[in-house]
Amino acid sequence: MAAKPFPILFITGTRIGDAVLSSGLIKRLSEEIPNARFTIAAGPPAAPLFTDVPNLDRVLVMEKSKGGGHWLKLWNQVRGKSWGLVVDLRGSAISSLVSRKRRAVHRKSRVAGLEPEHKVIEAARLLKLEDDPPAPFIFTSPETEARADELMAGVCPILAIGPAANWMGKMWPLERFAMTAMQLLAEDGPLAGGRLAIFGGPEDSRLVEGLRNALPRERRIDLTGKVDLVTAYACLKRCDLFIGNDSGLMHLAAAAGIPTVGLFGPSDERLYGPWGKKTRAVRGPRGFDQFLAVDPDLSNAVGHMNDLPIEVVVAAAKELLAAKPADETPAPKAADPEPADPEPETPDAPDPQ
């Protein structure tokens, strides 16, 4: 007799990066609970990430509305079912207002003086998996993989670049991306004879114009605004190296398992560094706290990334390309980590087994 379906409500982030960093929990739950059926609630930017999740019942898109009306709408959408498990990375009250057997709800419990904890470990703590945090993972269908094969067809190396971010202050100057690409793809570079793949959303089309001109048409693959997130992820798996600002694309590249160089300035790589064996987080001479001192709200439309030299980025890229795969999977950071926060109390946290 087939096992009775085990319905899981998974409430994840609005931003693409946050949703990617917690996506490994879905994979772990699907492995540990074969009869799991997933309903995933996410903000509009992140929702497309989950279209190929196996045993998916619904993806609920949470459009933010005044007065928290989006939470009321979500409650109306999920209150009619008895849930086996509610995983809530947003720390809302939903799990207290629906019928459920178990729940794992994010609770903020920072301890002053301790080093910030990476978001992958923070997410894993919900299911008591912080000692073996599931790496970010995006499910893809055979159709998605076939489409990526078509888009990335060829035998030469591919350098992927993500020059955009959700805020101007986090963007490295475009001309430096172009110069970096030309060095790495030059005849004496580590990706000699390769192609440049440009990634971004529809809103980034004008931004990347200068990057398009860095190489002849036959040596570039411009995917800016042309593919959905899951297809972009599948395309990234076929690249040899990714370089990009701290963004959702950077986290997708790291999740794809390719060498990834994340560029940081006014964001904290201790929390948001690319996760995985083959990643590096690089920055200029200023630490994150120094950016906070001059821009406390992290909202100024200034070029915070101008002090990150091309040489630092190229060196990190060459180091990754030359490195043998490591045995461990720590989250790479620009500074050595301090001990993580003590485990917060999570009510009724489930054993995924």
Side-chain angles (χ1 to χ4, degrees):
M1 178 182 290
K4 183 179 178 182
F6 187 83
I8 297 176
L9 173 60
F10 193 92
I11 305 172
T12 188
T14 294
R15 293 181 178 177
I16 295 169
D18 291 328
V20 172
L21 290 172
S22 61
S23 62
L25 297 183
I26 297 174
K27 183 173 186 289
R28 182 67 64 88
L29 288 167
S30 68
E31 293 170 342
E32 300 287 345
I33 310 174
N35 56 324
R37 301 289 309 183
F38 291 96
T39 295
I40 300 173
L49 288 168
F50 305 105
T51 55
D52 288 346
V53 169
N55 299 324
L56 177 69
D57 285 334
R58 286 193 295 173
V59 175
L60 302 175
V61 181
M62 295 180 63
E63 295 268 8
K64 188 172 183 180
S65 57
K66 292 182 179 180
H70 50 294
W71 290 110
L72 178 60
K73 180 181 178 180
L74 177 63
W75 175 70
N76 276 316
Q77 290 174 308
V78 302
R79 65 190 177 97
K81 179 175 285 191
S82 180
W83 300 95
L85 169 66
V86 176
V87 178
D88 186 355
L89 289 142
R90 303 279 294 275
S92 74
I94 290 290
S95 65
S96 299
L97 302 173
V98 298
S99 173
R100 46 84 189 164
K101 293 179 181 177
R102 301 181 234 175
R103 64 177 173 178
V105 182
H106 172 66
R107 306 293 187 198
K108 293 182 180 179
S109 61
R110 288 280 297 120
V111 177
L114 290 184
E115 194 81 1
E117 183 174 65
H118 196 281
K119 291 296 181 179
V120 169
I121 299 175
E122 182 181 273
R125 211 173 272 285
L126 265 70
L127 299 182
K128 300 187 183 298
L129 296 172
E130 62 271 21
D131 293 332
D132 181 25
F137 184 88
I138 304 300
F139 287 96
T140 56
S141 68
E143 294 78 14
T144 299
E145 295 292 339
R147 176 61 176 151
D149 281 337
E150 294 174 4
L151 291 167
M152 311 302 282
V155 294
C156 58
I158 300 176
L159 167 62
I161 284 187
N166 63 353
W167 167 47
M168 177 184 172
K170 293 167 64 176
M171 294 185 192
W172 203 40
L174 192 68
E175 62 273 15
R176 298 191 192 181
F177 277 112
M179 294 175 68
T180 298
M182 287 188 286
Q183 286 191 40
L184 295 172
L185 295 169
E187 290 185 4
D188 59 348
L191 298 174
R195 292 177 292 166
L196 171 65
I198 308 171
F199 289 80
E203 68 281 2
D204 303 321
S205 183
R206 297 181 71 180
L207 167 70
V208 306
E209 190 61 40
L211 196 53
R212 290 191 186 103
N213 298 328
L215 290 167
R217 181 184 297 272
E218 64 272 13
R219 294 191 62 192
R220 67 176 188 262
I221 307 168
D222 184 6
L223 298 178
T224 310
K226 298 176 182 177
V227 294
D228 58 54
L229 286 175
V230 179
T231 304
Y233 169 77
C235 289
L236 284 165
K237 290 195 288 184
R238 289 151 175 81
C239 297
D240 296 88
L241 173 71
F242 174 89
I243 300 174
N245 303 311
D246 172 26
S247 66
L249 266 174
M250 178 198 73
H251 293 300
L252 276 178
I258 64 171
T260 298
V261 181
L263 313 183
F264 283 77
S267 55
D268 195 341
E269 67 275 12
R270 295 169 299 178
L271 291 168
Y272 292 106
W275 182 271
K277 299 176 183 179
K278 298 174 287 187
T279 67
R280 296 288 184 275
V282 298
R283 63 165 57 249
R286 289 183 292 169
F288 175 61
D289 290 341
Q290 292 173 282
F291 286 99
L292 282 178
V294 298
D295 186 4
D297 298 325
L298 296 178
S299 59
N300 290 348
V302 297
H304 282 311
M305 301 288 288
N306 290 339
D307 62 358
L308 174 57
I310 294 173
E311 294 76 17
V312 171
V313 178
V314 171
K318 289 181 175 180
E319 178 187 349
L320 277 176
L321 289 170
K324 294 180 179 179
D327 292 330
E328 302 89 28
T329 56
K333 300 184 174 76
D336 292 331
E338 297 294 332
D341 292 350
E343 180 179 337
E345 182 178 350
T346 303
D348 302 322
D351 180 351
Q353 300 186 35

